[in-house]
Amino acid sequence: MAKASVFVLGSFVVSCSAKVSRFPRPGESLAADIVTIEPGGKGLNLAIAARRLGAEVDGLFAVGDDLASSFAAPALEQAGLPAAMLIRVVGKTGSGVGFTDAQGETCLAVDAGANRALGTEHVRASADRLAACDLVMAQFEIGDAPIREAFALAQRSGIATLLNPSPFRPVAPEILADTHILVLNQTEAEALAEQILPGCLDPAEPARFVAEWGPAVLSRGPRLVVMTLGAAGAVALSAEGATGQAALPVDSVDSLGAGDAFAATLGVALARRRSTAEALLHAAAAGAIATRRPGVFEALGTQADIDQLIGTSR
């Protein structure tokens, strides 16, 4: 298996998730089947997922000076991530809350907290570490400034970049121009389409993605655009054409970490020079595996888990 090294522009949050029969209505309290409190954040999830695939992982996480920050160092140690990734700032550590219903659908809200303090200066101080990696990954639980700086450094060094713009906000043109791999779900795809191609009807419909707004995204910088479709799989578009990937069937209990597992695995597979079709297959398997257990930290799979699921699905 080819080596891969990844630099993650991370986010760290203390995550509380509840499994419920259905989402609560306004003003309603529900009994939960299970409540999970664990270290989380999209950036941490990306880093853990990449590490469990055997990639070397470095990066940056900002945490505050409150009690919640005490979750961070043990979490990184347990995940096999370097302690040097942590940056401590004055303020509140990020936190989030999510619900998963009986059908496996999720909703969540995140307070970025200290993650907002991750800045350009932190990226510049880590430029040598970043330049030693094969891939830089980022998500939107941090601000634009560190992403812009890191992606520009990566571009100058010939290093691939992956962006998962979640939770969605308008993507700055200069960030999009320096993004090589763009990974979105259907909701994020619709929002980005409205940003760059206003009036596009049903942009998250796969055929329209391939024919209309996908090419518009590619013209703005990315080399590969991937839209995840939940239980329907995923579709990718590059200058070479479109590639589809069906979802792999598993007994799903919680889909909270599926998107992060998918994005990280796709990036690592491409860094290992797998084809787009192979990378999508591995990413789909990782996303499916992440839904088999409650929460995210313990649910993210290893390369052996992925190989096994692919083997039994054929």
Side-chain angles (χ1 to χ4, degrees):
M1 182 170 59
K3 293 183 178 180
S5 56
V6 178
F7 192 94
V8 180
L9 291 174
S11 58
F12 181 91
V13 306
V14 176
S15 173
C16 178
S17 59
K19 182 71 182 293
V20 292
S21 59
R22 56 175 175 77
F23 295 140
R25 301 186 182 96
E28 181 182 24
S29 297
L30 288 181
D33 297 330
I34 185 171
V35 173
T36 303
I37 301 174
E38 61 182 359
K42 296 189 72 63
L44 181 66
N45 296 344
L46 291 172
I48 293 173
R51 187 72 192 103
R52 289 191 183 159
L53 297 175
E56 293 296 321
V57 180
D58 199 353
L60 299 171
F61 295 101
V63 296
D65 56 359
D66 55 355
L67 181 62
S69 68
S70 64
F71 277 71
L76 265 63
E77 182 178 5
Q78 184 178 345
L81 298 172
M85 296 176 76
L86 279 183
I87 296 170
R88 299 187 180 276
V89 301
V90 175
K92 183 174 63 173
T93 299
S95 58
V97 60
F99 291 95
T100 302
D101 70 10
Q103 286 70 48
E105 294 297 326
T106 62
C107 63
L108 66 158
V110 177
D111 175 6
N115 295 299
R116 298 187 188 95
L118 190 64
T120 300
E121 68 277 14
H122 301 119
V123 175
R124 289 176 179 165
S126 304
D128 290 345
R129 290 158 52 193
L130 183 153
C133 293
D134 304 311
L135 174 70
V136 177
M137 293 197 290
Q139 38 66 53
F140 269 6
E141 286 179 352
I142 59 173
D144 279 2
I147 300 173
R148 186 184 298 113
E149 181 70 17
F151 278 22
L153 286 170
Q155 187 83 331
R156 291 196 293 271
S157 300
I159 298 169
T161 58
L162 182 151
L163 177 65
N164 176 211
S166 177
F168 187 84
R169 62 175 179 263
V171 184
E174 59 272 27
I175 292 177
L176 193 59
D178 284 341
T179 296
H180 296 141
I181 307 159
L182 182 68
V183 184
L184 321 92
N185 64 23
Q186 287 175 285
T187 300
E188 293 149 5
E190 289 174 352
L192 181 61
E194 182 61 28
Q195 175 188 337
I196 67 172
L197 205 66
C200 179
L201 299 175
D202 300 320
E205 198 279 320
R208 196 174 292 275
F209 161 80
V210 171
E212 210 166 326
W213 85 263
V217 175
L218 292 176
S219 71
R220 286 161 171 80
R223 301 172 188 173
L224 180 68
V225 185
V226 180
M227 182 172 68
T228 58
L229 306 169
V235 59
L237 186 68
S238 70
E240 286 70 46
T243 306
Q245 172 61 52
L248 277 65
V250 296
D251 293 328
S252 177
V253 298
D254 183 346
S255 64
L256 276 176
D260 298 332
F262 182 102
T265 304
L266 179 79
V268 170
L270 291 171
R272 287 175 170 157
R273 302 293 187 265
R274 293 188 184 273
S275 68
T276 298
E278 287 180 304
L280 283 172
L281 174 60
H282 281 243
I289 289 164
T291 72
R292 298 191 301 194
R293 298 178 65 178
V296 181
F297 192 90
E298 298 294 343
L300 296 168
T302 65
Q303 187 63 54
D305 294 328
I306 291 171
D307 293 340
Q308 181 181 35
L309 180 58
I310 291 173
T312 58
S313 300
R314 284 176 169 160

